[in-house]
């Protein structure tokens, strides 16, 4: 059993901060669960382009409001607490928070915590070493 609290993640190397968002990576590939879980806060008024070419991501909104645009189709979906969107087809997308939004994100395959978005908003696929933890 794994039990964690966000306070254990804050201000560690699993707490990634940018001008537009902050991601607290709660469970990572090293736990060998087949997925990773993050709490991500997106700041009001920002424009965030992402493309997870190597991952499926599910995003559940717990606080705040905004919208997500499918960059391939131009379709825009409104987001509010209780909304979920799933990027199941390597969807290029843009997230535009109207207010600060808190989300819970699940990635498959799991991220290691070492990924950095490239110029296209893509996380590279990094596989965790098969070393027992």
């Amino acid at each position: 059993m794994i039990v964690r609290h966000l306070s254990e993640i804050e201000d560690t190397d699993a707490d990634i901060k940018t001008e537009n968002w902050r991601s607290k990576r709660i469970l990572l590939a090293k736990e060998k669960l087949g997925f990773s879980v993050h709490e991500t806060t997106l700041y009001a008024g920002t424009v965030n382009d992402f493309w997870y070419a190597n991952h499926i991501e599910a995003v559940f909104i717990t606080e705040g409001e905004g919208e997500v645009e499918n960059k391939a189709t131009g379709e825009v979906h409104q987001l509010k607490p209780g909304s979920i969107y799933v990027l199941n087809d390597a969807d290029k997308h843009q997230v535009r928070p109207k207010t600060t939004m808190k989300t819970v994100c699940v990635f498959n395959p799991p991220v290691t915590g070492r990924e950095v978005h490239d110029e296209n908003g893509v996380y590279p696929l990094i596989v965790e070493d098969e070393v027992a933890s």
Side-chain angles (χ1 to χ4, degrees):
M1 179 183 294
I2 299 170
V3 178
R4 274 201 188 114
H5 190 273
L6 284 174
S7 63
E8 298 171 56
I9 308 300
E10 292 173 356
D11 299 318
T12 69
D13 60 355
D15 185 2
I16 310 304
K17 301 171 189 174
T18 75
E19 290 182 8
N20 288 10
W21 51 265
R22 179 180 187 180
S23 180
K24 298 175 188 172
R25 291 150 181 204
I26 304 164
L27 296 172
L28 291 167
K30 66 184 177 184
E31 275 82 36
K32 304 202 182 306
L33 300 169
F35 60 89
S36 57
V37 178
H38 315 189
E39 181 198 64
T40 301
T41 302
L42 296 118
Y43 302 125
T46 60
V47 176
N48 304 276
D49 290 299
F50 300 113
W51 176 30
Y52 296 114
N54 301 306
H55 299 82
I56 294 173
E57 182 190 26
V59 180
F60 183 74
I61 291 73
T62 60
E63 292 180 28
E65 295 185 5
E67 57 190 24
V68 62
E69 178 181 348
N70 181 325
K71 297 297 280 185
T73 66
E75 190 174 14
V76 176
H77 301 275
Q78 299 305 306
L79 303 172
K80 62 183 180 181
S83 300
I84 190 170
Y85 64 92
V86 180
L87 305 160
N88 60 325
D89 196 20
D91 306 293
K92 291 182 180 180
H93 61 291
Q94 186 174 84
V95 182
R96 300 182 292 260
K98 295 175 185 171
T99 64
T100 295
M101 287 177 29
K102 285 201 180 228
T103 67
V104 175
C105 307
V106 177
F107 281 86
N108 181 357
V111 301
T112 65
R114 297 185 307 273
E115 296 80 1
V116 176
H117 289 102
D118 70 12
E119 66 278 0
N120 296 307
V122 176
Y123 274 159
L125 182 59
I126 300 174
V127 178
E128 190 68 37
D129 294 333
E130 292 297 323
V131 177
S133 37

